[in-house]
Structures are given as C-alpha cells and as structure tokens.
Amino acid sequence: MASASNRHTASSDGLTGTVKAVYEAFIDVVEPVFSARSKRRRPIVVEDGDGRLALHERGAERAMPLAERAEDGSIKTAKLREAELRISPDHVVSATIRLPTAASKYVEQVVEHRLDQLTPWRPENALFGFAVVDDKDEQTEIRIVATSRELVAGLTHRMADAGLRPVALGTAPLGTPIDIDLLRGKTHRPGENRRRIIGRTAIAILVLASVSWMASGWFSTRSETRLTTLQADTAIARQALIADTASGRDELADQLLSTKRPEAAVFVLLDQLAATIPDTTYLDRLEVGPAELRLVGSSTDASSLPEIIQSNLLLIDVSFAAAVVRQDNGRDRFEITAKRPETGPAQ
C-alpha cells in the first residue's frame, strides 16, 4: 500500500510540475511583448557620486530630485513602481579574469570565491555582476563589476520613500542600456507583477473559455434531443395522415400532405429560384400558381434562362411566353412560363 501511495504522490508531483512548466513557458513567450513597452516607460534614478539622486522619466522636461518626489504626499509606497538605478562609477570596482572555456558554466561560483580578492568588501557585503567579454583560444574573458551592498541598501531605501523599487542596477549612462546588472534579480524579479497579471488573466480566460465550451455543448446536445423528438412526432403524425388518406376518411389530409412535399412548397421553390438565376438577371414580376410559374424581367442573356431553370428546378415545359425584346440598354426583356409538377400524397 505504501508503495502505491508513493507512486500516486510521485505521479501527482510530476503532473503539477508539468502544468507549472507549461504555465511558466507560456508567460515567458507572452511577457516580453509587454516588457519591451514597460522598459521604454520605466523611470531611471541616477546617483551623481555625492549621494544625490535624480529621477529621469520619459517625456519629462527636467530631472526631478528624488527628495522632492519623496516629499510629495500623493506618492503611495504600498505598490512601488519599477525603476532602474544608475550609480556613479566611483562606487563600483571592476576586474577581469580568464577561465578555461570548459569551466565557463561555473563562472558565478568562481567569482563568488574570488570576491575577497577582487573587491574591498567582504563577499557577503558585496553585490556583483559579470559578463563574458571575449571567448577564444579555449579561454573565456569575464568582466566583473561589484559594489557595496550597504550603499545600495541606503539608495534603495530612499527610492522606496519616493514610491520606487529598483529592478536593475548598473553604471551605464543615460541613453544606453545597463550591460551588467548588479542586482541580477536578487531583490526583485523584473516584471514579476506583470508576469503575475498575465498569468491570472490567462487562467481567467481559460476558465471562461472552458465554461463557454461546456455550455455550448450542453445547449447543442439539448437542441439535438429536441430536434430528434420533433422529427419523431412529425413522423408519427405523417403516418397517421397517410393512414387516414389510404382509408379515404379524410380528403383534406391528401391536400395537406401534398402541400408539405418539398417540390410543392412555395418557399423551397423561391429559394431554389434565387440560387439558380444568374446575377445579371432581374425579375420585375413573379407569379406562382398551383400549376404554373410565370417570370417577367430582364437579363443580359435571356436565351439561356429556360435551359438553366429547367435543369436546376423541379419545373417542366419551361419556355418563353412572348418574344424576347432587346432594350436600348442592351438587356433582353423576357416573359417565361413553366409548369409545376403534379403533386399527390407523400408515399
């Protein structure tokens, strides 16, 4: 029993992991579309080297001192806005190391191990990032940039007072993207709120779609059931009418059944006629009698109409009732008569 329970638990965990992987993959595909627009609107906080912070926003006429924004009573810190933090190059140290290309997948571990040699801070007090600069001759050149965690914490606190949260940290000047991010997602994953909103919206749409699909299936099944019942009732009534006609008890039944046959139904005849006559033919008058049909109108090729009508409709003896007259506009004036087939009781 324990073994079966373990297998069930493992199966459930595997299914949960698969669903989560599909969910994350979907967001990874959709999120960059919104991320590109978000980055263009994302404000940038610049530190000038003396500890002063200035806020640069897209479309703003001037940079706003961050202290001035923090003093604004309308700023709400409950939901911080994402921003980039650009610190002064004087507050970072950079170094370059070389590693064998085969060991490049262990770059982060190697850098962490050498931080006390590469920076003036203890490893636990340093924030660092790195990027591959060159990769040739089986040697990988890596550029490392680091700064003080305490310095960044102070700047981050001041940004929070102004309603901002850093999602990227670097030394790049305005107008250029950050090449090495010192946060690397440690304080906050960029676009986390956006990813959460996309995920919840996708789930809501999926639930609504599923409910709509089940509802449409239920209505479709119900409609088919009602149609089947109606057809069965019609068949019973038809058989009863046929029986009455055969016994001669009701002459009206013969007429009713005759008018319900497709070839005798006027609406069926009109529908077929509309689908048969060419688009260049216009009818001015249409007379439908019990035994005869009369069409009056004009066409660009009236001579072909009798053959077209007789070939496609349940009509016989289709012919011109009068001579075809060519009008000044080049169209032929015609009058056509046709006989409707005799209809009797349905067999």
Side-chain angles (χ1 to χ4, degrees):
M1 293 294 293
S3 177
S5 177
N6 291 338
R7 286 197 299 270
H8 177 73
T9 301
S11 177
S12 299
D13 292 343
L15 180 60
T16 302
T18 301
V19 172
K20 184 176 181 180
V22 172
Y23 172 82
E24 291 292 340
F26 169 77
I27 296 181
D28 288 341
V29 172
V30 176
E31 194 268 340
V33 178
F34 299 92
S35 176
R37 298 180 60 185
S38 176
K39 287 182 179 179
R40 289 195 293 267
R41 298 191 302 266
R42 181 181 296 167
I44 298 176
V45 176
V46 179
E47 189 249 340
D48 63 2
D50 294 328
R52 291 188 296 268
L53 297 177
L55 175 65
H56 297 259
E57 290 199 84
R58 184 180 179 86
E61 296 182 358
R62 66 180 183 88
M64 175 187 293
L66 203 65
E68 180 179 325
R69 178 182 172 91
E71 293 171 358
D72 187 349
S74 64
I75 298 298
K76 296 180 180 180
T77 58
K79 185 176 181 181
L80 303 181
R81 184 181 177 190
E82 295 181 352
E84 293 183 7
L85 175 58
R86 310 284 180 96
I87 61 177
S88 171
D90 297 336
H91 291 155
V92 302
V93 295
S94 61
T96 301
I97 63 174
R98 286 183 174 273
L99 292 176
T101 301
S104 59
K105 59 182 178 180
Y106 303 109
V107 170
E108 186 168 357
Q109 291 85 342
V110 172
V111 172
E112 287 180 344
H113 181 70
R114 296 190 185 181
L115 274 179
D116 56 345
Q117 304 171 15
L118 300 174
T119 71
W121 307 285
R122 294 176 60 86
E124 62 270 19
N125 295 330
L127 281 176
F128 71 93
F130 57 86
V132 175
V133 178
D134 193 10
D135 189 358
K136 63 181 179 180
D137 298 331
E138 299 184 354
Q139 289 287 316
T140 300
E141 182 178 344
I142 300 168
R143 178 171 173 260
I144 304 167
V145 178
T147 190
S148 167
R149 188 181 295 272
E150 182 179 357
L151 170 70
V152 174
L155 298 177
T156 300
H157 180 73
R158 291 164 59 187
M159 290 179 62
D161 290 340
L164 301 170
R165 171 180 52 201
V167 292
L169 171 64
T171 59
L174 289 173
T176 60
I178 294 176
D179 55 349
I180 299 180
D181 186 1
L182 301 183
L183 289 183
R184 296 185 298 139
K186 290 185 177 180
T187 59
H188 174 71
R189 184 181 185 184
E192 183 176 343
N193 292 334
R194 182 170 54 250
R195 292 175 64 89
R196 186 181 300 111
I197 292 173
I198 292 173
R200 290 177 178 176
T201 303
I203 291 174
I205 292 174
L206 180 61
V207 170
L208 290 176
S210 300
V211 172
S212 299
W213 177 77
M214 290 187 290
S216 63
W218 181 78
F219 281 114
S220 176
T221 302
R222 185 178 179 184
S223 299
E224 291 178 358
T225 302
R226 294 182 62 184
L227 178 60
T228 302
T229 303
L230 180 60
Q231 289 175 339
D233 293 342
T234 303
I236 293 173
R238 184 183 182 87
Q239 291 299 327
L241 287 174
I242 292 175
D244 289 342
T245 301
S247 62
R249 292 196 303 265
D250 190 359
E251 295 182 358
L252 179 60
D254 184 23
Q255 300 176 9
L256 291 174
L257 288 173
S258 176
T259 57
K260 296 304 180 185
R261 294 174 62 84
E263 59 268 26
V266 174
F267 73 90
V268 174
L269 177 62
L270 295 179
D271 185 58
Q272 293 175 343
L273 182 63
T276 299
I277 61 175
D279 295 337
T280 56
T281 300
Y282 305 109
L283 297 181
D284 300 331
R285 188 168 77 252
L286 175 63
E287 299 175 3
V288 181
E292 188 179 66
L293 179 73
R294 182 178 297 272
L295 301 89
V296 179
S298 64
S299 175
T300 58
D301 186 15
S303 61
S304 63
L305 290 178
E307 182 180 355
I308 293 175
I309 294 173
Q310 185 154 328
S311 299
N312 294 278
L313 301 178
L314 294 174
L315 299 173
I316 57 178
D317 296 339
V318 181
S319 60
F320 289 108
V324 176
V325 178
R326 176 61 60 89
Q327 298 176 314
D328 294 338
N329 59 5
R331 299 178 61 83
D332 297 332
R333 187 74 181 173
F334 65 85
E335 182 177 350
I336 295 176
T337 60
K339 294 182 180 179
R340 303 177 64 187
E342 295 183 2
T343 57
Q347 301 298 323

